[in-house]
Structure formats: C-alpha cells, structure tokens
Amino acid sequence: MKKADVKVGAIVGARSEEELKKPFQGKVEKIYENSALLTITSYDPVDATAISDLNNKIVVNFKNLKAVRAAKNSKTVSTNEVRVEKIAKTKKADKDSKK
C-alpha cells in the first residue's frame, strides 16, 4: 500500500517478516514516514505468544500492508470490557451499619 492509502483507524491486513510467522490484521493507530503503528486485532493462533510479547502492537512498513479480506482460521483479540453493577445491600449489612 502507499502512504496516501493508509488512514488512521482503518483495519488493514499485514505481515511481519521478523516478528510473526503468519499474516494478521490490525487497526492503524499512527502513521510514520514509511510505516504505520498497528494494534493487532486478528491473528493466527500460531503467533499468540509473539502477539502477547508485542502487547498487541507492531510497526509495519507500508509495503507489507494490504486491503483487508476476511481471515481464515484467525483468532480475534479480546477486548477488556468492564461492567459496573450496583449491588443491593443485604439485611445483615444494614443491621451492622446501624450499630
């Protein structure tokens, strides 16, 4: 791909000759002169350890980026979702707080 074709927030297919064995998909976080910082969103399970070591981020040269297609046999990175729920007070807790 060319620099002009890469946009922040876009999902792209990529490969890394040094770090990962299989192609992967990532979201463009930042664009540099000849490369882009990607947050890895989908990858082959073979590369799970390497992805973890990279903290799900990698810098890839534009020549190793391509338009996205559906990946076969890939693993999607889980997002950290936090749910906050209000917990109802119990009767015992009410009695303890009145003392």
Side-chain angles (χ1 to χ4, degrees):
M1 289 182 87
K2 295 179 181 177
K3 183 177 182 178
D5 298 334
V6 180
K7 305 290 182 205
V8 173
I11 303 294
V12 295
R15 59 185 168 85
S16 172
E17 297 162 355
E18 299 87 26
E19 306 290 336
L20 305 173
K21 296 175 183 172
K22 302 284 185 170
F24 59 94
Q25 292 180 356
K27 180 179 178 183
V28 179
E29 297 294 326
K30 190 170 183 180
I31 298 173
Y32 300 109
E33 190 64 32
N34 296 311
S35 58
L37 173 66
L38 304 179
T39 298
I40 300 166
T41 57
S42 181
Y43 58 91
D44 192 286
V46 171
D47 292 322
T49 303
I51 300 288
S52 178
D53 292 345
L54 293 167
N55 292 323
N56 296 331
K57 295 199 185 263
I58 191 168
V59 175
V60 180
N61 192 303
F62 292 134
K63 70 180 182 180
N64 293 330
L65 298 179
K66 61 183 177 180
V68 174
R69 294 184 195 145
K72 291 183 179 179
N73 191 22
S74 65
K75 182 175 179 182
T76 302
V77 175
S78 62
T79 57
N80 294 332
E81 292 184 18
V82 178
R83 290 188 179 185
V84 178
E85 295 180 12
K86 192 171 185 177
I87 300 174
K89 291 184 179 181
T90 61
K91 291 182 181 181
K92 184 177 185 218
D94 289 339
K95 288 179 185 177
D96 290 342
S97 64
K98 290 181 182 177
K99 290 183 181 180

